[in-house]
Each structure stands twice: as structure tokens, then as C-alpha cells.
Amino acid sequence: MTTETATRLRDLHTRTSPLILPNVWDAASAGAVEAAGFPVVATGSSAMAAVLGYEDGEHTPPGEMLAAVARIVRAVGVPVTADMERGYGLKPAELVERLLETGASGCNLEDSGRDGLIDREEQADFLSAVRAAAGADLVVNARVDTYIAGDRTTADALIRGRRYLEAGADCVYPIGLADAEEIGALAAQLPINVLFRPGAPSLDELAALGVVRVSYGHGLHQAAHTYAERLFAAVREGRNPYQ
């Protein structure tokens, strides 16, 4: 069943109709995404860390993150792809084994850490080991962090992206990239995931540029939390929070 759901997820990455992923943070939000008609649920590590009581940046113990992913998988009937940062310190084989135990069909893996960008070949070796352990059972979305932790050039993103695909990734994720011309230049040569955020091209524009996947990161959780803060403030002030 794992290979079957991973195949379903992999097949949804097309240049004509990108896979839209409004990232979730718990089982309830995952159920709402499925009920809204989305064919895949994607977790967001930053939002999930906040819900679990930790800072973003691999501060969440791996067992807690994986348990949260498992609850999300149990709550929905569609494939789930999990944001696993850079693996929470787990070796590739253990990361794959434990992730597959949750029932997840895909994962995001980053190429930066607390000390900045990881060496390109070191990250490629890591991804290659993940692919060797997972076979076809996981769709690997390899994040390329050059736009947030590197020199922000298309050339560097292309070099890393190509190397990660050679290592076994299915898709690459140049997070932080929002310029339409650069997105088009990368999408013409690589299957890419784009983060939707204020100032990014519209979904229709991203589809026309050939993007295969669009995710929302922690943005939706941040918006929901801000709304909740306004509700709590209204209650504290004695106002009706529903008006």
C-alpha cells in the first residue's frame, strides 16, 4: 500500500497542473484539507513544532514529530507527505524506516541547518541513502535553501537541484524564490516546488510557468493563530468574539 500511495503522490506532480499543498499542523487541520477536496495532505514542520511546543529548526524530538505525522495519516484517506526538516538527527535508514511506519508517502528534506548550507555533496549523499532505503515508497522533495541561506543565484540553485535529482529526489524546492522570471528559468529545467507567500505569482501564473508543486509552509497556521489571538483578546476585553 505504501508504494501505491507514493505512486499516486508522485503522479500528481505535473507541469500542466501543479499539486497544491495547503500545509497542515495537526489531525484536525489535515481532515479539513481533505474535506476541502485536496488529494494530498502535507505537513509543515514550523507549524507542527509550534503546536507541539517547540521552536522551529529541529528542536522537536523526532519521536514527537513522527507521532504527530502518524496521527495525521490516521485521520485522512489521502497520501500524506511530511516535512522532516533534515531528518532530526536520524540516520537515513532509520529516518526512512520510522517515517514509513507512520504511513507517510513522502517527505521534505532540507539542505541547511543551524550552521547554514550543508555541503552539496554531503546532502546528495544523504538523499542517495534515503532513496536507497526507501526505494519507491517515498516521494522525496529536496529543499534547496540557497535563496534563504546562500548566494540567491539561479545558477547555484540549478546546480544543487540537478545534483539532488541525480541522488534520487523526485522534486526540488527552492524555498524563498518568488521572482516569476527565475521561477520560470528553474521550472524549465527541473521539477520544482514553490512556496506560495505574499508577493509570489498567482497559482495560475505558477502553473503557466511549469511549476509542479505549490506549498504554503507555515503561512496558513500563522494566519489561523493570528485570528485565534484576536478571538482571545475579544474575550479578555469582554466583547463578543463571534461578531
Side-chain angles (χ1 to χ4, degrees), residues 131-147:
R131 175 55 67 209
D137 290 346
L138 283 178
V139 176
V140 178
N141 188 36
R143 222 174 76 173
V144 175
D145 288 0
T146 54
Y147 289 97

Side-chain angles (χ1 to χ4, degrees), residues 100-233:
L100 290 176
E101 285 175 353
T102 71
S105 303
C107 63
N108 275 21
L109 293 170
E110 304 171 3
D111 69 347
S112 68
R114 297 175 193 175
D115 297 324
L117 277 174
I118 307 296
D119 176 79
R120 181 177 68 242
E121 290 305 313
E122 179 183 347
Q123 181 68 2
D125 288 345
F126 178 75
L127 292 170
S128 180
V130 167
R131 175 55 67 209
D137 290 346
L138 283 178
V139 176
V140 178
N141 188 36
R143 222 174 76 173
V144 175
D145 288 0
T146 54
Y147 289 97
I148 60 172
D151 64 8
R152 302 182 61 86
T153 66
T154 303
D156 196 13
L158 276 171
I159 291 170
R160 282 183 176 257
R162 286 177 177 142
R163 186 68 186 91
Y164 298 164
L165 292 172
E166 291 171 357
D170 296 279
C171 182
V172 295
Y173 181 10
I175 191 169
L177 175 60
D179 179 79
E181 185 175 347
E182 284 193 76
I183 290 171
L186 285 176
Q189 302 182 64
L190 309 171
I192 67 167
N193 180 156
V194 168
L195 174 68
F196 190 91
R197 60 177 184 167
S202 69
L203 293 180
D204 286 344
E205 289 169 330
L206 290 172
L209 289 168
V211 170
V212 302
R213 174 168 167 158
V214 181
S215 54
Y216 284 69
H218 72 289
L220 297 177
H221 176 258
Q222 189 173 53
H225 186 73
T226 298
Y227 180 67
E229 288 177 328
R230 292 201 295 268
L231 295 177
F232 300 146

